[in-house]
């Protein structure tokens, strides 16, 4: 039976719960980095087509800043930190104290390095919480950062799942400043895309059977 | 009198479509994926496939989506063009994509999927004696491509380097 047919709503709930544990830890890390309260939560775990993952990130052609890393260990997968242009500018300014114009090719090296380091800290705290919770060993690679079309950047995360089907299981994490409202409250999002072979490990560790 | 509007037909990931002039055909946000256009310049008919992986042998499920892999997608495209009356010896190709969007110090095979996609497409075109007249592959940039069967020009839009035509 194909993976997608074996994944039940219960499994998605379990993944959401696990994602929220990672998100909570990452939020604490980011809050102390920026010295203000940041909320991170997993609104839903989605089983979506590759096209829909692009839509979640703002659309295939939308300019985004993305940090990508691979997770190795017992539950391999891919992780993206996706920042829309304004979110990246905002975050880079908060980190470096300088205004940056993203999409301008002489993007400050300092801003890139600050965003890369931040994604490293966020992914690290997210995964270490997830790893503690599941007792699964997960090692993140150092993230690589790129500024380009969302669709093009996400391709890198689809290589494994596309070998078993036409969908991805996305643990989508939103980051917000609770003191703000509307669009400006959003500071970015995280996608965790487990590899097809990771699911059995994750569910077994959390005591859920998968047919 | 009715005026026929030019339409731009959109092709999603792991899909292909065929089109005839004056319509054009487009696929967006190619990263490691490859957009391969095979066309008949006498009939002004073209097909565009947005492939994700180089070889259908990589598929781990039986009910595979043939449009996702270079080998099966091109085989199906050639059949469809033939069914539209295109002759095999008239067919030509242009392609773009196959980038490596992120650079990692550890060059794993998975990260090389873009170049592998481009190599696979070239190999299959050669096997079918279809000349590859132009390509813009590799590098680390995302591409949106639009092909106009009327002029056989392939427009490539990128974020950092604007638009080029091949």
């Amino acid at each position: 039976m194909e993976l997608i047919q074996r994944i039940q709503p219960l499994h998605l709930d379990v993944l959401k719960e696990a994602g929220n544990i990672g998100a909570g830890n990452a939020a604490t890390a980011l809050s102390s980095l920026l010295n203000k309260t940041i909320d991170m939560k997993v609104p839903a775990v989605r089983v979506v087509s590759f096209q829909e993952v692009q839509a979640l990130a703002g659309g295939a052609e939308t300019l985004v800043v993305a940090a990508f890393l691979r997770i190795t260990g017992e539950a391999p997968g891919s992780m993206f930190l996706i920042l829309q242009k304004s979110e990246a500018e905002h975050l880079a300014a908060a980190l470096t104290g300088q205004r940056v114009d993203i999409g301008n090719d002489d993007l400050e090296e300092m801003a890139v390095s600050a965003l890369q380091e931040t994604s490293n800290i966020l992914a690290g705290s997210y995964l270490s919480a997830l790893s503690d919770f599941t007792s699964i060993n997960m090692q993140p690679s150092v993230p690589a950062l790129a500024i380009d079309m969302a669709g093009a950047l996400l391709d890198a995360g689809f290589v494994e799942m596309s070998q078993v089907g036409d969908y991805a299981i996305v643990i989508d994490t939103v980051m917000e400043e609770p003191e703000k409202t509307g669009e400006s409250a959003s500071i970015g999002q995280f996608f965790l895309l487990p590899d097809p072979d990771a699911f059995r490990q994750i569910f077994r560790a959390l005591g859920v059977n998968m047919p | 009198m009715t005026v026929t509007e030019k339409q731009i037909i959109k092709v999603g990931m792991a899909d292909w479509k065929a089109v005839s002039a004056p319509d054009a055909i487009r696929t967006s946000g190619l990263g490691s994926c490859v957009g391969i256009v095979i066309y008949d310049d006498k009939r002004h008919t073209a097909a565009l496939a947005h492939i994700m992986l180089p070889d259908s042998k990589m598929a781990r499920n039986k009910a595979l989506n043939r449009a996702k892999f270079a080998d099966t997608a091109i085989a199906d495209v050639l059949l469809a063009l033939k069914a539209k009356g295109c002759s095999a010896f008239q067919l030509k190709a242009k392609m773009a994509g196959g980038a490596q969007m992120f650079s990692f110090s550890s060059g794993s095979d998975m990260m090389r999927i873009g170049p592998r996609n481009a190599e696979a497409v070239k190999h299959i075109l050669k096997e079918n004696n279809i000349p590859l007249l132009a390509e813009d592959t590799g590098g680390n940039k995302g591409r949106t491509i639009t092909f106009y069967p009327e002029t056989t020009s392939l427009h490539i839009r990128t974020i950092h380097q604007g638009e080029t035509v091949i």
Side-chain angles (χ1 to χ4, degrees), chain A residues 23-65:
Chain A
N25 205 35
T28 310
L30 189 59
S31 300
S32 65
L33 197 65
L34 295 177
N35 205 15
K36 58 182 159 192
T37 311
I38 305 294
D39 273 355
M40 285 175 76
K41 57 178 187 291
V42 179
V45 174
R46 306 168 211 253
V47 181
V48 286
S49 70
F50 301 129
Q51 241 98 18
E52 287 169 298
V53 184
Q54 297 182 337
L56 282 178
E61 285 191 273
T62 308
L63 180 147
V64 296
V65 178

Side-chain angles (χ1 to χ4, degrees), chain A residues 51 61 147 155 162-163 165 197, chain B residues 12-13 31 60 68 157 160:
Chain A
Q51 241 98 18
E61 285 191 273
I147 302 162
D155 275 0
S162 62
Q163 294 174 34
D197 296 332
Chain B
M13 287 178 102
R60 287 163 55 188
K68 188 158 49 186
R157 198 179 76 78
H160 302 291

Side-chain angles (χ1 to χ4, degrees), chain A residues 111-189:
Chain A
V112 169
S113 139
L115 291 175
Q116 197 160 0
E117 188 47 32
T118 305
S119 58
N120 199 7
I121 292 167
L122 287 181
S125 55
Y126 193 109
L127 290 172
S128 74
L130 200 54
S131 183
D132 287 348
F133 179 62
T134 55
S135 312
I136 294 175
N137 177 17
M138 296 179 193
Q139 281 135 3
S141 71
V142 174
L145 194 106
I147 302 162
D148 214 301
M149 299 176 183
L153 296 172
L154 285 167
D155 275 0
F158 296 154
V159 177
E160 298 297 328
M161 278 306 270
S162 62
Q163 294 174 34
V164 300
D166 292 294
Y167 52 87
I169 296 168
V170 188
I171 302 168
D172 177 12
T173 304
V174 296
M175 304 192 274
E176 286 176 346
E177 280 183 58
E179 283 144 37
K180 293 188 182 170
T181 50
E183 288 259 305
S184 68
S186 171
I187 49 176
Q189 63 191 142

Side-chain angles (χ1 to χ4, degrees), chain A residues 187-208:
Chain A
I187 49 176
Q189 63 191 142
F190 249 112
F191 288 168
L192 177 59
L193 297 144
D195 285 358
D197 296 332
F199 292 101
R200 185 166 294 279
Q201 292 290 342
I202 296 172
F203 294 132
R204 183 186 296 155
L206 297 173
V208 187

